[in-house]
Structure formats: C-alpha cells, structure tokens
Amino acid sequence: MSIRVVVADDQALVRRGFSMILRVSPDIEVVAEAGTGLEAIEAAHLHRPDVVLMDIRMPAMDGLEATSRILEKADWEVRVLILTTFDPDEYVYRALRAGAAAFILKDTPPEQLATAVRTVAEGGALLAPSITRRLIGRFADGRTVNHAVAGRLERLTEREREIVVAVARGANNAEIAEQFFIGPATVKSHVSSILAKLGLRDRTQVVIFAYESGLVAVGDHDVGH
C-alpha cells in the first residue's frame, strides 16, 4: 500500500517542487495539492491521506488552524507534518500542541523529505526526543500552570502519572520498563491508557501535557543527561 499525501503550501513552485520530489518514491502517492488552509482541509476530507505536508503560514486560514480542524474532524488515521522556513518557533510549538506529529525545515535535503513522510506515516518521531522536549520546554517556560489541564491529572492512576513524567523526560518504553520493573508490553498498555484518558494523540502531546499541567517543570532532569 502506498502512503497517500496531501501537500499544502501557498507558494505554487514550492508546492509543486515538494510534490515532484515525493512522486519519485514508488511507495508515496501525492493525491492532492492545496494553496490555502481551507483548501488543505477540503483536500484532506476528500482524499483521506495518511500524511498532510502542511505549510504553517498560508492565507485564508493558516496551517495551525487547518491542522487543528483536520485532526478534529478526521475519522481515519492521518498525521500532519509541519513545514517551516525558520528554526522552530512558538508557531511550531502551537502546531504540535494542536496535534501535528512533527515538523521539518523547508531546506531539508530532497532525499530526506520522503524518509520524513514515511517515518511520520508509521507513527515514528522525526527528531530526537531531546530536541522536541527543548522546543516544548522553551515555550512552556514562564507560562503559568494551566489549571484546566492540571485538573485532568485526576483521571490518571499514580503509576500512569509516573509514566507521563518518564515520557516527558525522554524515556523510551524499554527505559520505562526497566525503571519501574515492568514489561515493555505493560508500558505500551499504560501509554495507550494515558492517551485515551487524556484525549491525546501521541507522545509529543504527552510531553506538552506534562509541562502545562505542572507535572514536569522546565529544567527537570532528562534521561541520559
């Protein structure tokens, strides 16, 4: 089965360039292109892609709002890969918070674009967890604890809270299993339960939740540091 992709960027040459690069890969099918956030939403609902390659700054609704609306209404598995020209900024942080799976710089070498799409489609992480955590920590720093978010902690068991902290500090499933003397399958079950109870999509959103709820503070010790 090929990976179905929608490419959304307001610059036609850039959009077509990305599409041409992806079409070289036999396992990737570009099913539609979009030049605005509204067009991206329409294309996503019409073609039901596996991945939406989304420019973050577009007219007639930006990529942030388009990402949020696509993921809110989607009744199929779709992941959004954010395109950004500059180093990760608060806009990228907000996109991750809205449910985007990852972000990639527009000047990424062409051969790495298809790899990024495959990784995201398979549910993998594009960046080392430490980079994602630094981005989240950078923009979570100085924010007051969101009490509405913190209130959702009550849905979790004590063990689930401990695992949220471990995920936020960069531990993978094997490291969490070793830390709590449980099997990797049990860790996976706990993480699935956490996502369901909190209404989150993936581990990136778990990290954001940990900071915004006050469960983890900026500067806390990371795994391997």
Side-chain angles (χ1 to χ4, degrees), residues 142-157:
R143 294 170 183 261
T144 57
V145 171
N146 185 321
H147 293 292
V149 173
R152 289 155 63 192
L153 284 170
E154 296 177 0
R155 304 175 188 175
L156 304 180
T157 65

Side-chain angles (χ1 to χ4, degrees), residues 44 108 127 206 221:
T108 295
L127 297 174
V206 171
H221 174 71

Side-chain angles (χ1 to χ4, degrees), residues 23 25 32-33 48 50 72 76 106 136 146-147 156 164 175 182 187 192 199 208 217 219:
R23 285 188 172 114
S25 301
E33 296 180 8
R48 300 170 70 89
D50 302 298
E72 182 182 355
W76 75 98
K106 282 190 176 182
I136 294 169
N146 185 321
H147 293 292
L156 304 180
V164 168
E175 290 166 335
I182 55 180
V187 176
S192 295
I208 293 172

Side-chain angles (χ1 to χ4, degrees), residues 55-57 82-89 91-92 103-107 138:
D55 185 18
I56 207 163
R57 294 177 176 85
I82 292 292
L83 289 162
T84 181
T85 308
F86 308 106
D87 287 336
D89 56 13
Y91 228 102
V92 176
F103 59 90
I104 188 171
L105 298 180
K106 282 190 176 182
D107 60 1
R138 177 179 164 195

Side-chain angles (χ1 to χ4, degrees), residues 21 129 150:
I21 291 168

Side-chain angles (χ1 to χ4, degrees), residues 24-88:
V24 172
S25 301
D27 60 331
I28 295 176
E29 178 187 4
V30 177
V31 294
E33 296 180 8
T36 69
L38 286 174
E39 289 179 3
I41 293 172
E42 292 171 1
H45 289 145
L46 179 62
H47 296 282
R48 300 170 70 89
D50 302 298
V51 176
V52 178
L53 198 59
M54 181 82 76
D55 185 18
I56 207 163
R57 294 177 176 85
M58 291 187 291
M61 185 183 300
D62 60 27
L64 177 67
E65 181 65 20
T67 294
S68 180
R69 293 200 189 185
I70 288 170
L71 295 176
E72 182 182 355
K73 300 292 185 182
D75 59 358
W76 75 98
E77 282 294 321
V78 56
R79 296 173 72 80
V80 177
L81 176 55
I82 292 292
L83 289 162
T84 181
T85 308
F86 308 106
D87 287 336

Side-chain angles (χ1 to χ4, degrees), residues 95-176:
L96 293 174
R97 193 175 186 276
F103 59 90
I104 188 171
L105 298 180
K106 282 190 176 182
D107 60 1
T108 295
E111 64 272 13
Q112 293 182 18
L113 181 61
T115 300
V117 167
R118 291 188 194 98
T119 300
V120 167
E122 294 167 359
L126 278 185
L127 297 174
S130 60
I131 297 176
T132 302
R133 288 199 316 283
R134 285 184 201 124
L135 168 69
I136 294 169
R138 177 179 164 195
F139 295 106
D141 193 11
R143 294 170 183 261
T144 57
V145 171
N146 185 321
H147 293 292
V149 173
R152 289 155 63 192
L153 284 170
E154 296 177 0
R155 304 175 188 175
L156 304 180
T157 65
E158 186 63 31
R159 175 49 55 87
E160 287 170 343
R161 292 189 192 195
E162 292 171 341
I163 289 176
V164 168
V165 171
V167 169
R169 290 175 176 168
N172 58 34
N173 284 1
E175 290 166 335
I176 294 172

